[in-house]
Amino acid sequence: GAYDTFRVTAQSLAAASKGWEAAAGADQKRQTSPHSYWQYVNLPQEPDDGLAEDFSTIDKDVPRTTAHSFDDMELHAVVAAVEHGVGSGDSLRRVLRGYVVRNRNPGYAQGLNYIGKFLLAATEDEERAFWLLNAYVEDVMPPDFLSRPPSGMNGFMVLLGVFK
């Protein structure tokens, strides 16, 4: 039934995420980083360090990032299954804020919330999702793919058009 389809999809997604980590270099990033995931999340912020605007945008985007954001029904089911655990708003907020602390340039771009939510669903692990997000943005995508306006998210918008 539908539950069996969900389990197969969730299991195959979790298995695929391990391959993504190796291919994207997420494990290497984790091992060579000067800070752990939790250190990035908990680094003290200065009032004028430029993160307040990104944090404010993240705080607005996180509640809007639900399973209903994903059109594919199987993916919707996988994302919905983790929304109250590792895929909760708190987890997504920590992953995105940690990313911004590590990557002040380009910083946060709207749309990263969907990528983060998908990675949380795929890995069912905050730290793995964080390192995959960083590997994806830093090494897999072109440098200006998630750049700030005026060209911000141009690459992401192209991808949305391709996958519709």
Side-chain angles (χ1 to χ4, degrees), residues 95-112:
V95 167
L96 295 174
R97 285 182 170 208
Y99 163 81
V100 168
V101 169
R102 179 177 163 91
N103 290 285
R104 294 182 186 202
N105 186 18
Y108 181 72
Q110 288 183 306
L112 282 174

Side-chain angles (χ1 to χ4, degrees), residues 22-106:
D27 286 333
Q28 178 71 17
K29 285 201 175 303
R30 179 181 17 245
Q31 293 167 4
T32 60
S33 174
H35 301 291
S36 71
Y37 165 62
W38 290 104
Q39 287 172 318
Y40 282 115
V41 170
N42 294 311
L43 282 175
Q45 310 306 311
E46 300 297 324
D48 62 347
D49 64 6
L51 294 174
E53 184 178 342
D54 281 341
F55 282 7
S56 175
T57 305
I58 289 168
D59 289 344
K60 290 174 190 168
D61 282 352
V62 165
R64 297 186 284 218
T65 314
T66 66
H68 297 290
S69 306
F70 297 87
D71 292 334
D72 180 275
M73 290 309 294
E74 289 179 359
L75 185 55
H76 171 94
V78 172
V79 172
V82 299
E83 282 193 339
H84 300 293
V86 73
S88 72
D90 292 337
S91 297
L92 180 59
R93 183 176 286 104
R94 284 189 296 268
V95 167
L96 295 174
R97 285 182 170 208
Y99 163 81
V100 168
V101 169
R102 179 177 163 91
N103 290 285
R104 294 182 186 202
N105 186 18

Side-chain angles (χ1 to χ4, degrees), residues 149-160:
S151 64
M153 296 300 291
N154 283 341
F156 183 74
M157 298 313 282
V158 169
L159 272 185
L160 281 180

Side-chain angles (χ1 to χ4, degrees), residues 91-137:
S91 297
L92 180 59
R93 183 176 286 104
R94 284 189 296 268
V95 167
L96 295 174
R97 285 182 170 208
Y99 163 81
V100 168
V101 169
R102 179 177 163 91
N103 290 285
R104 294 182 186 202
N105 186 18
Y108 181 72
Q110 288 183 306
L112 282 174
N113 52 322
Y114 297 109
I115 298 168
K117 185 75 160 193
F118 172 79
L119 293 173
L120 281 166
T123 62
E124 296 185 353
D125 182 284
E126 268 185 57
E127 185 174 0
R128 288 177 58 212
F130 169 79
W131 290 112
L132 263 168
L133 178 63
N134 282 278
Y136 177 75
V137 173

